[in-house]
Amino acid sequence: MSPEWQLKPADLKRYPHFDKYLPLDEAQAIAADPERVASNPFFPFLRYIKSWRPYRPNGKPRKERPIRYASRRDAYIFARYRHLLAEKYETELHRLGIQECPIAYRKIPISGNEGPGKCNINFAKDVFDRIRAMGSCVVVALDISSYFENIDHALLYNLWCRLIGANDLPPDHKSVFRAITEYAVVDRDKVYERLGFMGVKEKNGKRVKGYLRKYNEIPLQLCTPQEFRQKIAGGDPQFPKIIEKNEKPYGIPQGAPISDILANIYLIDFDILMSAYTKDLGGCYFRYSDDILILVPGGASIGLRARDHAMVEITNFGREIKIKESKTSVITFRTNGSDSLSFDLIAGEQGKNGLEYLGFRFDGRRVYLRDSTLSAFYRKMTYSLRHEVRAFVARYPGKDIGFLLAKFKLEDFVGRFGRVEDFDLNSEYQDWTFWTYAHRAAREFGTEGQPIYRQMRGHRDLISKRLRAEFEKALS
């Protein structure tokens, strides 16, 4: 049994939301009290849209992802019930003998290491090592389309009951289940406009929409309960309701503290089936949330059959759950009479340059960072640098670019910037920057990972060039 769930000071949320800020002991007491959880009036999630240009866009539209985050009190409750379910989920995985199959959102120990558990680097290395050991083999990579958005509520409810050994969910669990399935959301910018934190203002002689108060001056509790009822929930006819509720019988909000464990639980029976299927073929099966990987000895025909089998089986796990064909690939590897392998893309669009898995690319001889991984890093870096440069220019009005470049502490920015996103890292890894991550990966992959050093060459020079460009833009 793992220790009872405990909030730590670092777990306290300090972002603006509808509820009041709670001290540690009160937050702990609420989340750990089944009666208070059962009667908890869950607030809507706040939502904003994160958008970015895809790598090599070729005219493709910007990609968008809705980011939804719970109120502080609700987040603590979700976190505690995640802990309760995760403990039972781990026990069930070991009982079923499939503990190696689902690898996301779990602390999986590194053999012979009592420290942090495995991260994406280790998971990718495990797969690439198995390919080398197997020699001539075939890899099937599949991706579930909009996975979190399509999780069937009735199936999830039954699995939740099964995991805790109940015919029906007790009131506190049922309250959490409803909050995460019949969830409500409200657009963050609309909230800020309603409450007077955002609106039209003068900037450089133009009227533009933006914050009317500095972000750090927005209160942690956005409004009183009465203001929430009147201005957000439609209690005052002057302010139409802006809360949206998920009325569909499927979908949970990705990013909520409990959503990741529910996504793992949801496909436990699929994991059982696919694990047995691949073992019968002498291979193995892994699922990283919505990314499925099948590795079996043999050639193209076996891989195509395995792909088709998985695509048929997944249809039994919710009518909205579907494999994304554009991200499905079948790749064969074969020995060349030496230590290296060669590969062929048999089916699909991804994999023309090798197997792409968890941010890495493997061509049978060497391991690289995916181009899209680097692109995402530089995109995020540019956005962060632009924000800091604008604040820096405002802090030193009238100063020229030479003064600003000399004053700006580039090494400090490089040192703190680039916390790794979109990777399932344990808490022990949360202070890693992308620079740390890339160099750790190169070391872990050994001689096969040497290309990663070359990919990161010029990292600081690129940031320095971007810094100058952003200062020039800000001063123009």
Side-chain angles (χ1 to χ4, degrees):
M1 294 287 287
S2 62
E4 180 54 50
W5 177 78
Q6 289 287 331
L7 269 177
K8 300 182 292 293
D11 296 327
L12 290 177
K13 313 293 183 184
R14 300 181 185 276
Y15 48 70
H17 218 294
F18 295 122
D19 60 334
K20 67 178 183 178
Y21 178 80
L22 295 172
L24 186 69
D25 56 347
E26 188 175 351
Q28 175 82 33
I30 291 173
D33 185 337
E35 290 187 6
R36 296 179 77 174
V37 171
S39 60
N40 183 62
F42 286 86
F43 277 112
F45 288 81
L46 284 179
R47 177 190 62 208
Y48 67 94
I49 304 298
K50 180 179 179 180
S51 66
W52 67 95
R53 292 196 179 279
Y55 175 69
R56 291 177 180 167
N58 295 326
K60 295 178 184 177
R62 292 180 67 88
K63 289 189 175 183
E64 293 187 345
R65 176 191 296 171
I67 305 296
R68 291 164 290 209
Y69 55 102
S71 72
R72 289 174 292 273
R73 182 186 64 210
D74 298 348
Y76 303 141
I77 292 173
F78 287 140
R80 178 173 183 266
Y81 281 76
R82 184 207 186 280
H83 174 87
L84 297 176
L85 292 175
E87 187 176 67
K88 294 183 178 298
Y89 177 64
E90 287 296 325
T91 300
E92 186 67 359
L93 289 180
H94 283 79
R95 187 186 72 81
L96 294 167
I98 58 169
Q99 64 272 19
E100 290 188 353
C101 300
I103 55 178
Y105 317 128
R106 299 170 56 212
K107 184 169 181 177
I108 300 175
I110 299 173
S111 178
N113 189 336
E114 295 298 324
K118 290 185 176 182
C119 69
N120 299 61
I121 298 169
N122 308 110
F123 295 136
K125 187 175 186 302
D126 288 346
V127 166
F128 302 157
D129 285 349
R130 292 198 187 206
I131 291 172
R132 289 192 194 92
M134 198 172 288
S136 295
C137 61
V138 60
V139 181
V140 181
L142 307 107
D143 183 278
I144 302 174
S145 181
S146 302
Y147 178 42
F148 287 78
E149 308 293 334
N150 291 314
I151 287 176
D152 184 274
H153 295 167
L155 290 177
L156 180 63
Y157 189 91
N158 291 334
L159 286 164
W160 195 324
C161 289
R162 184 173 116 194
L163 200 64
I164 67 172
N167 293 325
D168 196 13
L169 292 183
D172 55 327
H173 282 259
K174 189 172 292 186
S175 177
V176 176
F177 173 83
R178 285 174 175 163
I180 203 67
T181 54
E182 301 172 18
Y183 64 93
V185 296
V186 60
D187 184 81
R188 186 184 63 183
D189 287 356
K190 289 182 180 179
V191 169
Y192 284 2
E193 286 185 58
R194 284 281 174 93
L195 300 176
F197 304 132
M198 182 176 279
V200 177
K201 61 180 182 180
E202 289 283 339
K203 185 177 181 180
N204 299 327
K206 298 180 181 178
R207 291 179 63 79
V208 297
K209 182 178 176 181
Y211 285 104
L212 302 178
R213 294 168 65 171
K214 293 180 180 179
Y215 184 80
N216 59 7
E217 293 177 356
I218 296 176
L220 291 185
Q221 184 173 10
L222 291 171
C223 58
T224 66
Q226 182 180 11
E227 288 174 317
F228 175 82
R229 289 191 293 269
Q230 291 177 341
K231 295 185 177 182
I232 308 300
D236 186 333
Q238 287 185 293
F239 301 100
K241 180 179 179 180
I242 55 175
I243 298 173
E244 307 164 37
K245 187 175 179 181
N246 180 35
E247 303 286 356
K248 297 175 293 190
Y250 53 86
I252 62 174
Q254 186 173 1
I258 197 173
S259 296
D260 58 356
I261 190 64
L262 296 181
N264 266 352
I265 293 167
Y266 185 77
L267 285 181
I268 192 169
D269 289 334
F270 180 76
D271 294 338
I272 294 170
L273 290 169
M274 293 308 302
S275 176
Y277 175 81
T278 53
K279 281 183 179 178
D280 285 346
L281 294 174
C284 49
Y285 154 84
F286 302 101
R287 179 174 62 84
Y288 190 98
S289 188
D290 55 358
D291 288 329
I292 296 166
L293 199 75
I294 298 167
L295 170 59
V296 291
S301 60
I302 292 176
L304 293 170
R305 285 199 299 273
R307 177 201 62 182
D308 295 344
H309 179 75
M311 293 181 75
V312 169
E313 288 294 341
I314 201 73
T315 61
N316 297 315
F317 294 87
R319 62 183 181 183
E320 303 298 326
I321 298 290
K322 298 178 177 66
I323 297 294
K324 189 182 297 182
E325 292 193 20
S326 63
K327 288 194 175 182
T328 296
S329 59
V330 180
I331 300 172
T332 58
F333 287 88
R334 64 182 183 278
T335 56
N336 289 326
S338 64
D339 291 337
S340 65
L341 302 170
S342 59
F343 76 92
D344 287 302
L345 177 63
I346 302 302
E349 298 178 6
Q350 290 192 337
K352 294 177 181 178
N353 296 313
L355 173 64
E356 296 182 352
Y357 188 58
L358 300 183
F360 299 97
R361 175 169 60 82
F362 177 58
D363 65 3
R365 296 178 298 131
R366 297 286 185 265
V367 178
Y368 306 79
L369 293 171
R370 287 181 60 186
D371 290 338
S372 58
T373 301
L374 283 169
S375 176
F377 162 64
Y378 289 122
R379 180 180 64 245
K380 180 191 170 194
M381 181 270 291
T382 298
Y383 177 82
S384 181
L385 195 59
R386 182 173 301 151
H387 177 78
E388 292 213 16
V389 161
R390 288 174 179 173
F392 207 73
V393 169
R395 193 184 315 153
Y396 298 102
K399 298 297 183 179
D400 62 20
I401 192 169
F403 172 90
L404 294 169
L405 285 171
K407 192 77 173 176
F408 190 90
K409 296 181 179 179
L410 180 61
E411 288 303 315
D412 287 353
F413 174 81
V414 171
R416 71 178 181 274
F417 167 76
R419 178 175 165 180
V420 181
E421 286 188 348
D422 299 328
F423 293 101
D424 177 30
L425 300 178
N426 298 304
S427 60
E428 292 90 342
Y429 296 120
Q430 286 181 356
D431 60 349
W432 280 17
T433 65
F434 190 87
W435 178 262
T436 308
Y437 180 82
H439 281 71
R440 175 65 179 271
R443 289 195 302 272
E444 288 289 326
F445 287 118
T447 56
E448 288 84 0
Q450 292 303 301
I452 295 174
Y453 287 122
R454 295 196 295 273
Q455 288 179 293
M456 294 299 291
R457 191 176 297 158
H459 168 80
R460 282 174 170 78
D461 288 343
L462 177 60
I463 294 180
S464 183
K465 290 177 182 178
R466 295 270 174 105
L467 175 65
R468 174 175 283 276
E470 290 302 329
F471 270 127
E472 289 173 350
K473 188 183 298 183
L475 291 170
S476 63

